[in-house]
Amino acid sequence: GTLAIPILFLSCAREHASDQALRERFSAHRSDFDRLLAMARSDSGIGRIAPEFFDLTTGITEERWNQYRSLFSKLGLERGITIAADRVVLIASAEGVFSAGSSKGYVYSATRLEPLVQSLDEFPDVSERNVPSYAPLADNWYLFLQWGD
């Protein structure tokens, strides 16, 4: 007969940085965050830029991509940025896969974001998953956390 051996998948995921650590990084590098925001706004048609890739069809040069990558490294943005019409999302960390994952970082938005919470360091209730939560950081800047199911 055949022997069935269960396969265990072990997660190597680490925890996201604490709110305090992200706040301290933001305060220490505020001018670089503002510079990255200005770059993203001027390249608004790009959509997504990561340390590992960008869409060549957007017209961004390799030199410009390297400028982004330098700032990503300096600011601890392991997963790069997503640029939308009304906001720029700066992804400090992402864990897991697709809907079962989570991401945490910074958001700049000209409009108020909700729901606002005091701390993003706690695992959200099931009802709050798949909906990002925000903690105020500075004028139009927020920390964000999003969990999948």
Side-chain angles (χ1 to χ4, degrees):
T2 60
L3 178 62
I5 301 173
I7 299 172
L8 300 175
F9 293 98
L10 301 177
S11 173
C12 298
R14 56 179 171 63
E15 293 183 12
H16 294 291
S18 69
D19 291 0
Q20 185 62 33
L22 293 177
R23 288 177 187 285
E24 288 172 3
R25 184 179 305 145
F26 184 83
S27 294
H29 299 285
R30 175 63 189 263
S31 62
D32 290 313
F33 277 95
D34 289 336
R35 180 173 162 228
L36 181 57
L37 175 63
M39 289 171 62
R41 288 173 135 182
S42 70
D43 295 328
S44 61
I46 292 177
R48 174 105 167 87
I49 304 172
E52 310 85 28
F53 68 88
F54 69 97
D55 184 351
L56 293 169
T57 64
T58 61
I60 187 174
T61 65
E62 188 169 350
E63 179 182 349
R64 182 71 160 180
W65 182 45
N66 286 331
Q67 291 172 349
Y68 276 106
R69 293 172 70 199
S70 175
L71 285 170
F72 294 162
S73 177
K74 186 174 188 177
L75 301 176
L77 303 175
E78 297 175 2
R79 300 300 173 103
I81 61 173
T82 301
I83 306 166
D86 62 339
R87 68 188 67 177
V88 177
V89 179
L90 298 81
I91 308 164
S93 59
E95 305 298 337
V97 292
F98 304 110
S99 65
S102 62
S103 57
K104 188 172 183 178
Y106 309 88
V107 178
Y108 177 88
S109 177
T111 60
R112 180 180 165 93
L113 298 178
E114 293 184 351
L116 293 178
V117 296
Q118 293 295 317
S119 173
L120 299 172
D121 291 333
E122 303 296 320
F123 191 81
D125 292 331
V126 171
S127 64
E128 297 170 346
R129 294 187 193 162
N130 291 320
V131 176
S133 297
Y134 305 97
L137 183 60
D139 294 339
N140 297 331
W141 284 98
Y142 301 83
L143 297 178
F144 84 91
L145 175 67
Q146 182 162 0
W147 286 94
D149 283 334

